[in-house]
Amino acid sequence: VQLVESGGGMVQPGGSLRLSCAASGFIFRDDDMTWVRQAPGKGPEWVSTISADGSNAYFADSVKGRFTISRDNAKNTLYLQMNFLVPQDTARYYCARGLYSSTDAPDSWGRGTQVTVSS
């Protein structure tokens, strides 16, 4: 299993970024996929999850209304569209296979991509 994130960078507050996660080594269309982020000095924070067929999406309250998750099962790629970014969104963003919660843990993770929101 390989998950490779891209699309991070530095952006001003109010700006946008689109993260991508290229998946390989498993049947991508069969798995729920998740984005998790970790800010410096803080623990991991669940951001969003999308169901295997893309029909259901879930968001943390901190990003609801600003972020959109999507997937292209034909391209084995997961996306996170981030709009109206604020400095609190600064973190390393990880793509993960499966669910992330107090009772579930993804079985595969990417190495992450850094997002920095700063003026």
Side-chain angles (χ1 to χ4, degrees):
V1 173
Q2 188 171 23
L3 300 168
V4 180
E5 302 91 338
S6 61
M10 181 174 287
V11 63
Q12 292 187 341
S16 299
L17 282 174
R18 188 195 196 200
L19 306 184
S20 299
C21 172
S24 61
F26 65 105
I27 303 175
F28 181 72
R29 64 179 181 272
D30 285 352
D31 285 290
D32 299 333
M33 296 294 295
T34 293
W35 288 99
V36 175
R37 67 185 181 185
Q38 187 164 16
K42 296 187 176 181
E45 178 190 12
W46 170 73
V47 175
S48 182
T49 294
I50 187 167
S51 60
D53 64 0
S55 62
N56 294 291
Y58 310 90
F59 299 91
D61 287 344
S62 58
V63 307
K64 199 172 294 182
R66 301 187 298 121
F67 289 12
T68 303
I69 190 171
S70 63
R71 64 193 294 162
D72 186 336
N73 285 348
K75 295 183 178 180
N76 291 349
T77 304
L78 175 72
Y79 303 100
L80 185 69
Q81 177 67 43
M82 307 186 295
N83 299 326
F84 305 109
L85 286 161
V86 298
Q88 293 81 1
D89 294 321
T90 295
R92 192 163 186 85
Y93 285 71
Y94 297 88
C95 163
R97 175 190 178 194
L99 302 177
Y100 181 84
S101 70
S102 58
T103 56
D104 294 287
D107 60 13
S108 302
W109 296 80
R111 293 188 174 185
T113 186
Q114 179 67 35
V115 171
T116 302
V117 184
S118 175
S119 55

